[in-house]
Every structure is written in structure tokens, then in C-alpha cells.
Amino acid sequence: MKYWLVKSEPGAFSWDDLENAPTKTTHWDGVRNYQARNMMRDDMKQGDRVFFYHSNAEPTGIVGICEVVKDAYPDSSAFDAKDMHFDPKSTKAAPTWYMVDLRAVRRLPRVLTLAELKEVKSLGKMALLQRGSRLSVQPVTESEWNTVSALAEKPAARRAVGAK
DNA sequence: GCCAACGTTGGC
DNA sequence: GCCAACGTTGGC
């Protein structure tokens, strides 16, 4: 089993949206980056675990855990001329873009904010925390997964004097 | 709203 | 194949 992280802007699709979806499952469509596509198409498999991250949010951070319930298959939003993610170059005979199905497993006991994750030394190499990292689908190592999961069970560390 | 970082496009 | 211009991402 492998581990991943996906980003979503809660204004577009939030963790709550996922929990409220039928069977708490959604098609992870609209990915239009080749690196992210390759990971979804080639390496993401049913049963893999996925952190759900809110970007462009208040706060930004990891909010929940979901599970891959269906391996990659062609992204139908690329075929729909009315869809925001329509791509005329992607055809049903030779699809350019792929999606997986994700199901919400559980909300984390608390949000792990980007600011907090940045302060954890052992997460220094985590893809999410790399300078300029913009990939919307990222690999997470097993040790990173375990570190983040354990952190979510503890109360937030006290911030510097003056912080709220 | 600003802007740095990055990916893609297209002229040459 | 280079690289400038442009569009997007996403933190702040």
C-alpha cells in the first residue's frame, strides 16, 4: 500500500463536500498536470491512503484521510466541451487525462496546518513542504504518513509567546 | 491583491 | 531546441 496527498481548494471541492457526497466518494477529475497524471495513472492503486489537503484556505492544511477505491481511468471531464477542464486534444480513443475515485475514510482529529508541518524537522523532505511545490497529487513516504498521523492525535503545540 | 515559482506555448 | 511570454498555483 502506498501513500499520497491531494490538494483541493475548499471553495471548489472541500473535505465536507467529499463527506457529503454519495458513499463519500468522488471522481478526482480535472488534474491537468502530467506529473500528477502519471502518478495517478501508473502508481495510485485501490487501497492506497491519501491525505486530503486544503489549499488557498483558512487555514491551509491537511484535514482528512481518504482511500483510493478505483484505479485510474479516463477523465470524462476532458471530453465535455462545457466542462471547465475540457481538453479537445484528449479523445476517448487516446485519453490524455485520468482520474481515480477517492472515498473519505475519516476526518483528522484536528487540522494539521501548513505552518505546523513546516516546523516538524522529520518532515523536511516532504513534497508538500518543498519550495515552489505545486503538484496537486504528491507521494508521501510511509514515515511521513506515520509522523503526520501521530501528530494529528496530539494537541497542537503551543505557539510562541504572543500567538493566540 | 501581490507575487514567486513553475508549466506550457509558440516564434524563431 | 532555445527561450520569452504567458497562464496558473497557492502562500501570504
Side-chain angles (χ1 to χ4, degrees), chain A residues 38-106:
Chain A
N38 291 348
M39 284 188 284
M40 275 202 305
R41 186 191 58 189
D42 304 334
D43 297 324
M44 259 193 178
K45 297 296 169 199
Q46 193 177 328
D48 286 358
R49 291 292 160 125
V50 184
F51 284 137
F52 192 104
Y53 177 87
H54 277 169
S55 61
N56 264 320
E58 187 48 55
T60 60
I62 298 173
V63 293
I65 291 174
C66 40
E67 175 185 14
V68 178
V69 290
K70 184 172 179 179
D71 290 4
Y73 58 107
D75 181 342
S76 51
S77 70
F79 307 139
D80 178 358
K82 291 190 290 292
D83 194 282
M84 194 175 73
H85 299 290
F86 174 60
D87 181 356
K89 292 193 293 297
S90 181
T91 64
K92 288 183 183 178
T96 307
W97 305 112
Y98 286 78
M99 60 188 177
V100 297
D101 285 358
L102 296 180
R103 181 175 66 207
V105 172
R106 66 186 180 96

Side-chain angles (χ1 to χ4, degrees), chain A residues 11 13 18 28 33 52 54 71 75 97 132 135 147 149 151 157:
Chain A
F13 190 84
L18 181 60
W28 204 252
N33 171 284
F52 192 104
H54 277 169
D71 290 4
D75 181 342
W97 305 112
L135 270 186
T147 299
S149 301
L151 204 55

Side-chain angles (χ1 to χ4, degrees), chain A residues 134-155:
Chain A
R134 298 192 323 184
L135 270 186
S136 62
V137 177
Q138 310 179 346
V140 173
T141 68
E142 185 173 9
S143 82
E144 288 163 356
W145 181 273
N146 291 335
T147 299
V148 171
S149 301
L151 204 55
E153 304 299 329
K154 297 182 202 160

